[in-house]
Amino acid sequence: MADVLLIEDDPAIREGLGLALRRHGHRVRLAATGEEGVRLADSSLADSSIDVVVLDLMLPGIDGFEVCRRLRARSAVAIIMLTARDDDIDVVGGLEAGADDYVVKPVLPRVLDARIRAVLRRGTPQQARHELFGNLELDRAAMTVRKNGRAIALTPTELRLLLELSAAPGQVFSRQQLLEMVWEHDYLGDSRLVDNGVQRLRAKIEDDPASPRYVQTVRGFGYRFGPL
């Protein structure tokens, strides 16, 4: 069960998805505009009572891209965006704004439920180990990351990506492997999710994201952690 904030301006979609997600066991709050969504998020994130935000991109007033940027500036809460089309501009724009995943409308409630559960599993510990890589400290039991002794706020997706890569330093993972491991997409998925996730992770953990020490690109293959 998750606490979900659904921000969607179409009343039929909003009420229908809200009802369906409740039937799947989730607690759901609804917002019809970007402004209302930001207000609800601000009041709920203060006491950690939202686990996932499901966010339509095409909203009146403050659009979903701006809502996503505002939420990401305040919190590492998981964000799944709803887009009316599988369009590069919409998808890339949403991912760059800070979304963790996306689904294309019309979406089946069971598919959205599966994506919500998948994004929440990214914050579930797998190994109880404490590791130090250079100036980066990973506590797998506490699910925390520190750089030079200071805590780094990672989203569930960024955290799972880092934990999966760092579990096998030097091993090269293809984009498809990372989609299955991190996003739990077991079909021929969208490599934009991986590339954008890596970009956002590098911005937080690397001293120089343009010349990464930790999450390195292996051209033509994928990504690896180190060698350090």
Side-chain angles (χ1 to χ4, degrees):
M1 181 185 294
D3 286 295
V4 179
L5 172 59
L6 172 60
I7 309 174
E8 165 63 63
D9 67 308
D10 186 306
I13 296 175
R14 184 174 65 249
E15 297 299 330
L17 281 180
L19 179 60
L21 290 176
R22 291 186 182 104
R23 286 175 175 167
H24 279 89
H26 302 295
R27 291 180 291 266
V28 183
R29 272 164 280 189
L30 304 175
T33 66
E35 292 86 348
E36 183 184 6
V38 170
R39 286 196 300 272
L40 280 174
D42 281 346
S43 63
S44 299
L45 290 171
D47 58 7
S48 302
S49 61
I50 289 181
D51 300 310
V52 181
V53 176
V54 178
L55 172 64
D56 183 32
L57 290 182
M58 298 296 105
L59 294 170
I62 302 175
D63 66 17
F65 300 99
E66 180 61 21
V67 171
C68 191
R69 283 189 287 268
R70 293 189 186 188
L71 295 183
R72 187 54 72 226
R74 296 162 163 79
S75 169
V77 66
I79 300 174
I80 300 173
M81 59 180 174
L82 297 174
T83 177
R85 53 184 182 167
D86 188 6
D87 182 274
D88 278 350
I89 295 176
D90 283 355
V91 172
V92 172
L95 294 174
E96 289 180 346
D100 295 285
D101 204 345
Y102 75 95
V103 290
V104 178
K105 296 191 292 186
V107 57
L108 293 174
R110 60 182 175 81
V111 172
L112 182 55
D113 171 61
R115 294 292 178 86
I116 289 170
R117 294 178 188 275
V119 80
L120 291 176
R121 282 194 293 271
R122 295 171 202 169
T124 302
Q126 294 180 308
Q127 299 166 295
R129 288 192 288 133
H130 186 276
E131 296 168 302
L132 187 64
F133 301 98
N135 62 354
L136 203 63
E137 180 183 353
L138 278 62
D139 188 331
R140 295 178 184 271
M143 300 296 283
T144 59
V145 180
R146 293 180 176 273
K147 179 180 176 182
N148 296 321
R150 299 183 63 180
I152 301 176
L154 299 180
T155 69
T157 300
E158 293 160 357
L159 178 60
R160 175 58 67 87
L161 181 59
L162 176 59
L163 293 179
E164 294 288 1
L165 286 168
S166 64
Q171 179 176 335
V172 179
F173 294 93
S174 69
R175 289 172 174 82
Q176 183 60 33
Q177 285 176 305
L178 291 171
L179 275 169
E180 295 174 11
M181 294 161 59
V182 178
W183 285 265
E184 301 187 27
H185 291 195
D186 57 0
Y187 55 87
L188 187 59
D190 188 343
S191 64
R192 293 171 295 189
L193 289 168
V194 178
D195 294 336
N196 191 268
V198 166
Q199 182 181 16
R200 285 164 45 197
L201 178 60
R202 283 174 173 167
K204 293 182 178 181
I205 69 170
E206 301 283 0
D207 293 330
D208 180 6
S211 182
R213 176 186 184 188
Y214 297 110
V215 182
Q216 299 180 351
T217 302
V218 181
R219 194 172 301 277
F221 292 95
Y223 297 101
R224 69 181 175 192
F225 189 79
L228 305 177

